[in-house]
Amino acid sequence: MVFDTPGAVAGIVPEARRLIGVARQAYAGQARPGALLADCARRLDEPLRVALAGQLKAGKSTLLNALVGQDIAPTDATECTRLVTWYRHGATPRVTAYARDGARADVVVRRDRGADGLPGAHGLHFDLSALRWNAAGARSVEHLDVQWPSEELARTTIIDTPGISSLSQEVSARTSRLLTPTADPAGVALPSADAVVYLLRRLDAADVDFLETIGAGSGAVHRGSAVSGPLGAVGVVSRADEIGAGRIDALHSARDVASRFADELERTGLCQSVIPVAGLLAFAAATLRQREYAAFEALAAVPTEELTAALLSADRFARPDLRLPVPPELRAHLAARFGLFGIRLSVTLIRLGVRDSASLAAELTARSGLDELRTVLDVQFAQRAEELKAHSALTGLARVLTAFPGTAADSVLPRVRTLLADVHGFAELRLLGRLRSDDLPLPADDLTELHRLIGGSGVAPHLRLGLPADADLATQHGGALAAVRKWRSRAGHPLADQSTAAACLIAARSAEGLLDLLQEPPTTPFTRIRR
């Protein structure tokens, strides 16, 4: 049985678990392959792992804070930003430093206070200076592990990585080792991330080269072996508010830039989507305080020309000689937390009728691009978490089998490679990315249906078929059968070009998978939407 339809999604993880189990029995008594296979097995039961990557100062830590909705990642240029840092769910906050030899030590977390007792824009610090092994010079920190009570982290482990363009080659190499693991002394290393969010401030050769290296979205098998990098990649035009120099229309400019980036990256398969996000504004909105709202409300009463002149630069806005109804220290705090774009937008929204801090936070979040990014991450990553985790586990299994040949597990390798090559959900992910940039010669209604059928609005059957959630089994089955006939016909049309025919065939296979699924009880795991 090859898992090549969406109806078989629920079977990918059990089959991966079975194959790993067969391999573990074959390697019983061998410490190194046994440990690697145990890690492959654990991957299937852990939350999805998503890595944040990009060049130096692309805004990775700020975006992480925005996604989690808490100030848990330092955003200044301290030593911790030079390390790979894992953010996981934990009952209580705890930061642990790990050395390459496995030694560990607790890290002190410090918070600075800003204006009038408010948290500073860079208020969180991980103090590595107190580590005994650093002082002794015997060990150096290999990575940090942050455990934090967070609903978001309970669903997704987020890995913050150093900039790929760091002045230190060793710092940049840490990210490469994580996302493109090279052979270790034993001859094998496992993939660490299931998917990547890649942050761009511009698109240059370093970005393209790195995305090509990790092989994001390039399929499951390359030159006879499992690909080295994560399967899914979403691009983010980070610090989008800076593209328009902080003007009120900055995000419109950023969206144009994102569209150009998307044309380049999605056409080549390097990213499935490219979204503009003002990370600083998104995080500030998620943690907006009443005192900050009151300051914006006071600034909204200042004549427009006077406030416009004050907002020519952050330094000018914080000058103590400006007669504004907000103290200079608090103005400096607002500039650091929200940026000039955030200040202008907040004042404008209050002038247009926003009357409380909760409403302002919601409006700022929506305009920051974070909501759109969350939707894309939910559809392309969260709702396909089982497939992505299975892909990572099977890729790791293939590497172990290749690196340690000569056991009964050798017979498993062809099956593993077949699964990696034929899982239909991987083809859906690649097509979803193409649809954001390619103009297939299909009517608009057909493009909307195609996007929905391959999971663009969610993976539950009723969402794929555009039916209400309470649609009965017979109605859903009828809709799936009609979709199979329609998209098979589109794929075989004599005037359809190769790209369009391939897209229609993917849609037809998705509909066929729904037909298989809808023969089963409606409580199958595939019907659950991962949130």
Side-chain angles (χ1 to χ4, degrees), residues 58 79 99 135 190 215 254 391 523 530:
E79 183 181 0
L190 302 182
H391 180 272
T523 55
R530 296 180 63 88

Side-chain angles (χ1 to χ4, degrees), residues 7 10 461 471-474 476-477 513-528:
D472 59 41
L473 194 62
Q476 294 186 59
H477 188 277
L514 292 176
L515 278 179
D516 291 341
L517 177 67
L518 293 169
Q519 304 295 332
E520 304 171 4
T523 55
T524 173
F526 181 61
T527 64
R528 295 197 301 265

Side-chain angles (χ1 to χ4, degrees), residues 35 49 65 86-87 113 119 140 164 173 271 276 285-286 330 337 347 349-350 425 432 498 507:
R49 299 178 182 177
N65 286 334
W86 293 65
Y87 291 86
R113 307 302 293 183
S140 60
I164 64 168
C271 275
L330 185 52
R337 277 258 292 161
V347 169
L349 289 170
I350 290 174
L432 280 172
Q498 184 177 0

Side-chain angles (χ1 to χ4, degrees), residues 69-81:
Q70 299 183 52
D71 185 10
I72 67 171
T75 55
D76 58 354
T78 59
E79 183 181 0
C80 60
T81 62

Side-chain angles (χ1 to χ4, degrees), residues 16 20 37 40 43-44 181 188-194 219-221 225-231 387-402 413 416-417 419-421 426:
I20 293 170
L37 290 171
C40 291
R43 292 290 293 272
L44 299 173
V188 63
L190 302 182
S192 297
D194 303 309
V221 174
S225 62
V227 293
S228 60
L231 177 70
E387 291 169 277
L388 293 169
K389 290 192 295 182
H391 180 272
S392 295
L394 290 168
T395 298
L397 173 58
R399 290 187 183 181
V400 175
L401 296 175
T402 302
L413 187 56
V416 173
R417 287 176 172 165
L419 285 174
L420 287 170
F426 303 159

